[in-house]
Amino acid sequence: MAQTQSDLKEATTVPATEVGAAATAAAAAEGNNPSAIFPSYARYPIHLVKGKGSWLWDDKGNRYLDFMSGLAVANLGHAPEKVTAKVKAQLDELWHVSNLFHIPQQETAARKLTEISCADVVFFCNSGAEANEAAIKLARRYHQKIKGTNRYEIITFEQSFHGRTLATLTATGQQKVKDGYLPLPEGFKTVPLHDIPALKAAIGPQTAAVMLEMVQAEGGVYPVDPSFVQELVALCKEQGLLLIIDEVQTGMGRTGKWFAHQHYGIEPDIFTSAKGIASGLPAGAMLAKEYLRDAFSPGSHASTFGGNPIVASAIIATLETMQEEGIPEHVQEMGDYLVGLLKETFKDQPFVQEVRGKGLLIGIGCAGPVGDIVLLGQKHGLLFVTAGPDVIRLLPNLKVSKEEIDQAVSILAEVVAAYTSKEGN
Ligand SMILES: Cc1ncc(COP(=O)(O)O)c(C=O)c1O
């Protein structure tokens, strides 16, 4: 039976209960008006208003130890001094001019990124999805304009996550992000990770590139096997395919090297970065080898805001702080310490099945759903996230101290114990 106008009204007001407690609370506070924001996020019922270092405060004055860093973004902690000072100074000078002009801060940021990596050229944009979109476009244009072939297809891996634009959600190896968005763009194939025969079978005369995360982060915190990576690199070389590494979450020191592929001793043709690159200002970058430079000729790709003076200053200050303070080395040390402490703390806890990850991107594989553990953690003053239904993901800032790690693990042990005793797990 067709819905009447009043049925439809009913239907649009009822799901208020499904869009998260914060939306419902906000609606109540507003005299039952629903929020003016699309309900595309299930938001936690906490209103954070201030941050410093590893700590956040809500509007009621409660303090939280932040082990999620705005999803791997606030990598130098909240309100990092040098970045704040540099951005404030730039705000007084010049905000935006457009990429029709040379932007010295952007040149410096790009130069610095090439100095810490194998890349020679950089394109700046505003997010991880945009950086991956740029990588996909660059791969196609390289084959079509430089090599004169008709290669366009990108092969990606199951459980990967590459973003939410139409191209990057098609590249993503998880069905849930594609739901309701048909038809998807052509030119993508997904194969199981660590399956060389499946990868070989997927490669055809139309294949342009393979795209990979070195640690599948959103997909459950699974580091990729080094032997698979070596075989993949050899295969790409043999077949004339470009290798794109998505370092949106793993890059900028998160895993204990500037970029995670550096653990594997490989040099991708293209890689992407975003999240922590500007310490919390919206920025992304697509980085590539010299031989890809001319695939993007003037007018072939653009971004209005990409690399503007404000975000470029934040990128420079982020990189300078990380270099001066030896952040990648600190991440390796703290990552080892955190993993060791987690393994020791949970060795007799059957609910915790595995502790895995690289540097300060850590997944705790559990025997059941962990959503309620996240909520319990919040009640005990610790913020962290999931990576899929059964995985607790820890993403402390990259300057985190041993004392803060001790405190976080002690709260986590407490909430896991409380949860499992309640559930009878
Ligand atoms: C590996 C990876 N790629 C791409 C993205 C998309 O980044 P953004 O949300 O900035 O578009 C994410 C975001 O979580 C990510 O983890």
Side-chain angles (χ1 to χ4, degrees), residues 127-130 132 161-163 213 217-218 246 248-249 274-275:
S127 68
E130 278 180 65
N132 286 337
F161 184 79
H162 298 298
E213 291 165 90
E218 299 297 312
D246 178 344
V248 168
Q249 190 153 162
K275 288 197 180 276

Side-chain angles (χ1 to χ4, degrees), residues 51-346:
K52 187 71 200 154
S54 300
W55 298 90
L56 285 163
W57 287 263
D58 69 16
D59 56 352
K60 297 185 182 69
N62 299 312
R63 192 172 81 135
Y64 301 85
L65 181 51
D66 182 8
F67 264 51
M68 60 181 280
S69 306
L71 291 170
V73 170
N75 279 2
L76 297 179
H78 296 283
E81 269 155 35
K82 184 161 184 173
V83 185
T84 306
K86 193 140 189 158
V87 169
K88 277 185 176 166
Q90 188 59 47
L91 281 168
D92 284 336
E93 286 298 319
L94 183 64
W95 291 27
H96 185 86
V97 291
S98 114
N99 280 306
L100 293 176
F101 296 92
H102 291 282
I103 299 173
Q105 297 85 351
Q106 191 182 124
E107 287 287 347
T108 305
R111 182 68 57 214
K112 283 185 175 294
L113 286 166
T114 62
E115 282 164 8
I116 56 164
S117 74
C118 66
D120 302 297
V121 273
V122 183
F123 177 87
F124 286 107
C125 51
N126 313 287
S127 68
E130 278 180 65
N132 286 337
E133 187 93 19
I136 292 163
K137 287 180 73 175
L138 184 71
R140 285 188 177 183
R141 255 187 89 89
Y142 170 74
H143 283 293
Q144 293 173 29
K145 294 285 178 187
I146 306 281
K147 301 297 267 186
T149 68
N150 188 28
R151 290 172 179 254
Y152 61 89
E153 196 169 76
I154 313 290
I155 299 178
T156 63
F157 296 93
E158 287 175 8
Q159 289 308 115
S160 61
F161 184 79
H162 298 298
R164 301 278 191 161
T165 62
L166 274 176
T168 58
L169 75 80
T170 308
T172 292
Q174 300 186 46
Q175 197 47 42
K176 65 182 183 201
V177 307
K178 309 182 191 202
D179 193 27
Y181 293 119
L182 298 179
L184 300 178
E186 267 183 59
F188 295 88
K189 260 189 196 159
T190 303
V191 299
L193 186 64
H194 297 144
D195 189 338
I196 289 287
L199 179 60
K200 281 186 177 162
I203 295 171
Q206 73 289 351
T207 311
V210 177
M211 182 148 95
L212 173 79
E213 291 165 90
M214 304 312 300
V215 181
Q216 288 193 329
E218 299 297 312
V221 191
Y222 290 101
V224 178
D225 231 37
S227 60
F228 174 77
V229 174
Q230 296 309 328
E231 280 190 82
L232 170 62
V233 169
L235 195 57
C236 285
K237 212 166 241 150
E238 179 195 302
Q239 300 283 334
L241 311 180
L242 296 173
L243 178 62
I244 304 170
I245 304 293
D246 178 344
E247 295 262 12
V248 168
Q249 190 153 162
T250 52
M252 292 301 292
R254 173 56 58 188
T255 69
K257 297 257 185 213
W258 286 105
F259 295 98
H261 65 260
Q262 293 167 340
H263 287 286
Y264 294 77
I266 62 164
E267 295 200 351
D269 303 289
I270 304 172
F271 62 96
T272 55
S273 178
K275 288 197 180 276
I277 194 170
S279 294
L281 290 196
M286 188 272 294
L287 306 97
K289 298 292 260 181
E290 181 60 38
Y291 44 84
L292 289 149
R293 178 189 294 268
D294 294 330
F296 270 176
S297 50
S300 58
H301 192 48
S303 164
T304 294
F305 292 117
N308 90 359
I310 304 290
V311 296
S313 298
I315 295 171
I316 295 168
T318 301
L319 288 165
E320 283 175 355
T321 306
M322 291 183 71
Q323 277 170 323
E324 282 160 19
E325 300 187 15
I327 295 292
E329 297 75 20
H330 180 72
V331 170
Q332 293 206 1
E333 197 190 328
M334 290 302 108
D336 289 348
Y337 180 69
L338 177 51
V339 167
L341 189 59
L342 288 167
K343 285 186 173 165
E344 177 59 27
T345 303
F346 290 116

